[in-house]
Each structure stands twice: as C-alpha cells, then as structure tokens.
Amino acid sequence: MDLIGWFGAVADLEGALVEDNGGGQLSVLFPDHLRRRLQVGEMESFGMEEEQDSDIGRLLHDQNPVIAGMGEILAEKGRFATAELPGKPQLLRMPEAFLDRHFTAQNFIYRYRDQQIATVRYLVIPFLLGAVSDMKAERIVTIVLNETTRTVPLGMENDLTAAMPQTLHSSARSAFADTAPTAGAGATETISLMKKMVHRQAMQLFSEFLRSSERRMLRDLERLQDYYGAIAREIETGAKKRWSSDGEREKAAGRLEAARLEYEKKIQDVRDKYVVEIQAEPLGALRLAVDAVVLHIRMQRRKKAMQIELPVNPLNGRLEAIPCAACHTPVLNGFLCDEMHFLCAACHPNCPICRRD
Ligand SMILES: [Zn+2]
Ligand SMILES: [Zn+2]
C-alpha cells in the first residue's frame, strides 16, 4: 500500500469520510477528534505529487506532520487492544472431584461452595525482557493474568496463540481500547504484579546468562588477586634488600598501602562491570473478556477463614492458579500462614510477608 492509500485507510478507520479522486488524490472530511489531533481543517485534500496547474491541496510525504500524527494514533491503538472471545462454558458436573484433583491444601482445609458462569477479563502483556551487564540477552515473554480474580491461567499464552486468529476471524469482536489498560481501578496493582511475575521468570530464563556473568567476574577477580599479590611480593622483597637504609620500611609500607587501595578500587570496577540489570518493557497489551466457570471456595486455617474464587480457564479447561503472596509463583498446591497469606512451598515455613511487616 502506498502512503496515500495507507493514509486513506487509517482515516477511514478513524471515522473520516474519504473520497478517492483518482490519480493519487484524496479528499477527506475529518471528524472532530482527528481535526484537533492532526491540526487539520474539516475538509482537506491530499495528494502525492505536485502537478502543474492543479491545486491538490496538502502534499503528503514521510516527514509530513499529518502522517506522523496518524502513525502515532495507529501505534497507540496497536499497543492497547480489547477483544471478546465467544462461547458459553458448561458448569462442572462434579466440581468437588475436579477441585480434589487439581487443588491441594497442605496445611489448611477448604470447602467448595458453589460455581457460576461469569465474564472474566484477562490482561495479556508481551514483555521484551533484557538482561544487561557487559553483554546483553533478550527474550520476549508473554504474561497473562486474570484481572477479575487475580489468578494465573497456566499455559493460556500458548492456547491464545492457537485460538486468537481463528476466533478473531469468526465471531469474536475485536475493538481498539478507548483507554489504556493502565487506566482504571486496580490496574496499577495488576501491572505491578505482572512486572514482578516477569522478573521472576527472567531469573529462570537468563539463568545461564547470570551464571556466565558470575564465572567471568570470578575469573577477573582471580586475575586481579594474582596481579596485586605479585606487586605486593615485589615491594616486600625489594624493601628487604635495602632494609638498612633510612626510611625504607616506611616507604615500602606507603607503596603497599597505595597498591592495596588500587586493588580495592579495581575489585569494585569488576563487580560493577558484571552487575546484571534485568529490564522488562511491555510491548503492548491485550485485554480479553471471556465467560468462564468460576468456583467459589472457602479456605480455613485454625480459626480464620477466607473466600476465594478460582476460575476454570475457558480456553484450556485447567484450574487457574493463585500467585504466591510472597514470590508470585503460580501455585495450586499451597500453604497458608497464620495471617492467611497464600504461599508456595519455598516461601511457607517462614512467611516473608509477615516477617516484613
Ligand atoms: Zn513463594
Ligand atoms: Zn504471612
């Protein structure tokens, strides 16, 4: 598609009336929001080339602010999209048995209360993950979180890849979000939880990168130690030969001290060089509304009780997991601390949340 065709298509998508005058010329009637955003009049003509004796109006080219503005609009829309997936799930015939198979309470009891079909919303964010030290590694990782119940739909990112193109072409409604997913109540916490989840994954994904940085750092530190060890020995042997002369001891001590300070500074330089910084940048966001079976459960430990909602993921039929309150690992086999924080096995015996408070 050439520039003028692209411009016409996007303007049309954004609610403008576009008339193709032929010969690469367009007349466009802009709606209010585009007039303000692009700083154009209500009716404008556009063309690609200047022709003699013809008034084609504005000339379109790559550097044109109108084109840049339209590109920005499109980029924002591409980053934040919403979609609805069709389909009505069936209530479970044996919800207790299903829970028995998939949810394990290690140090508490739980009871199934009831189930209902409800619309839940998922936030799907592909992150560009980077590990940066003296070298750099990059991966794209997609994190999906059920915003409605704050549960983790295990494996859903793979099912989405399979389901999306098909459903979007058939009956799913896909629309551009009016507001970014960062807007709205609770969204900031959702995003911050997803960032913590992606950082946790980064530690696993980049484990080889982290180990190799560590190895190279230790190797450099060993070299430094050898080098400054040799310097120190040289200063000492040199001094011993001239032991009798005036102030030789003091001079040697001064030189040793200078070498020690330099050594310490070099150690810090090496440590700084190999510090691994983990970066996670969201590449976009998709908010997905789907109907799901949601199980209502009552968890009880000693005298305390709490209600939770666990959805059965509508795409893959798996029970969604609860993120560990401390490290955010998704868990379906968990513990409760005395303050009712839901924890994974690694965080359990000594609840990090209670310790922090
Ligand atoms: Zn944990
Ligand atoms: Zn706790």
Side-chain angles (χ1 to χ4, degrees):
M1 196 186 284
D2 61 7
L3 196 60
I4 193 106
W6 172 86
F7 183 75
V10 181
D12 183 53
L13 210 64
E14 285 293 309
L17 276 178
V18 183
E19 198 177 339
D20 192 343
N21 301 330
Q25 293 186 28
L26 294 179
S27 296
V28 184
L29 183 68
F30 288 102
D32 273 355
H33 77 276
L34 280 185
R35 269 163 60 193
R36 281 196 304 272
R37 178 82 190 246
L38 301 175
Q39 306 267 306
V40 288
E42 186 173 7
M43 180 81 185
E44 299 246 11
S45 299
F46 297 90
M48 289 291 283
E49 283 164 50
E50 232 161 351
E51 281 172 37
Q52 275 180 339
D53 306 328
S54 90
D55 179 22
I56 57 152
R58 286 174 175 239
L59 200 63
L60 282 182
H61 52 80
D62 289 350
Q63 271 83 46
N64 192 305
V66 177
I67 288 289
M70 201 63 116
E72 273 171 30
I73 290 176
L74 206 63
E76 285 163 21
K77 301 276 155 122
R79 286 174 72 95
F80 306 116
T82 60
E84 272 173 49
L85 288 183
K88 269 271 177 253
Q90 300 280 310
L91 288 173
L92 298 184
R93 260 183 297 169
M94 290 186 284
E96 275 117 336
F98 180 83
L99 273 174
D100 260 358
R101 280 200 303 279
H102 299 289
F103 187 58
T104 309
Q106 288 288 353
N107 66 343
F108 61 96
I109 52 168
Y110 71 85
R111 182 174 296 156
Y112 163 78
R113 299 296 291 265
D114 65 5
Q115 60 176 330
Q116 67 185 73
I117 290 168
T119 306
V120 292
R121 296 196 308 174
Y122 295 93
L123 193 55
V124 184
I125 301 188
F127 282 94
L128 177 63
L129 261 188
V132 187
S133 65
D134 60 322
M135 299 207 295
K136 186 171 184 177
E138 278 187 333
R139 291 280 289 272
I140 291 179
V141 175
T142 300
I143 300 282
V144 191
L145 188 74
N146 187 325
E147 288 183 276
T148 312
T149 52
R150 288 286 165 93
T151 48
V152 182
L154 299 167
M156 189 185 175
E157 59 280 10
N158 302 324
D159 302 305
L160 265 180
T161 325
M164 280 308 273
Q166 192 190 338
T167 41
L168 283 181
H169 278 122
S170 57
S171 45
R173 284 199 293 117
S174 165
F176 296 132
D178 295 331
T179 48
T182 40
T188 327
E189 288 153 58
T190 306
I191 307 258
S192 125
L193 176 58
M194 292 174 87
K195 278 192 174 160
K196 286 174 189 153
M197 288 167 64
V198 79
H199 271 96
R200 186 186 60 83
Q201 286 205 7
M203 292 304 161
Q204 294 162 356
L205 282 172
F206 295 131
S207 58
E208 182 43 44
F209 183 89
L210 293 165
R211 274 198 297 275
S212 124
S213 288
E214 170 104 12
R215 272 197 303 273
R216 282 176 292 127
M217 182 182 78
L218 290 175
R219 185 202 60 203
D220 282 13
L221 287 177
E222 256 170 50
R223 282 185 190 159
L224 273 186
Q225 198 179 13
D226 291 350
Y227 179 72
Y228 283 97
I231 287 185
R233 279 193 299 279
E234 217 173 277
I235 295 172
E236 279 170 354
T237 26
K240 269 180 194 155
K241 283 182 195 158
R242 299 182 294 272
W243 221 229
S244 47
S245 56
D246 269 356
E248 193 56 45
R249 259 169 214 266
E250 288 71 22
K251 261 193 253 169
R255 284 204 295 271
L256 274 176
E257 177 61 8
R260 189 185 63 81
L261 288 176
E262 196 179 279
Y263 176 45
E264 276 175 7
K265 189 181 165 300
K266 286 277 160 57
I267 288 178
Q268 196 50 53
D269 289 350
V270 167
R271 291 195 183 281
D272 290 346
K273 180 180 170 191
Y274 291 108
V275 165
V276 178
E277 189 196 343
I278 300 287
Q279 303 164 339
E281 186 202 339
L283 295 174
L286 171 68
R287 186 172 263 156
L288 208 58
V290 200
D291 282 350
V293 173
V294 179
L295 305 178
H296 294 237
I297 296 156
R298 181 186 149 91
M299 302 199 289
Q300 191 175 342
R301 175 170 161 75
R302 299 200 173 138
K303 291 216 160 60
K304 288 184 177 151
M306 99 181 154
Q307 314 280 345
I308 55 161
E309 295 181 351
L310 288 187
V312 179
N313 188 263
L315 287 193
N316 60 25
R318 291 169 73 178
L319 188 65
E320 297 190 356
I322 309 172
C324 166
C327 73
H328 316 295
T329 307
V331 192
L332 279 171
N333 178 355
F335 298 81
L336 281 175
C337 80
D338 290 346
E339 295 304 316
M340 303 298 276
H341 297 127
F342 190 82
L343 300 170
C344 72
C347 295
H348 160 59
N350 196 357
C351 175
I353 312 258
C354 290
R355 251 188 308 158
R356 201 167 54 209
D357 297 341

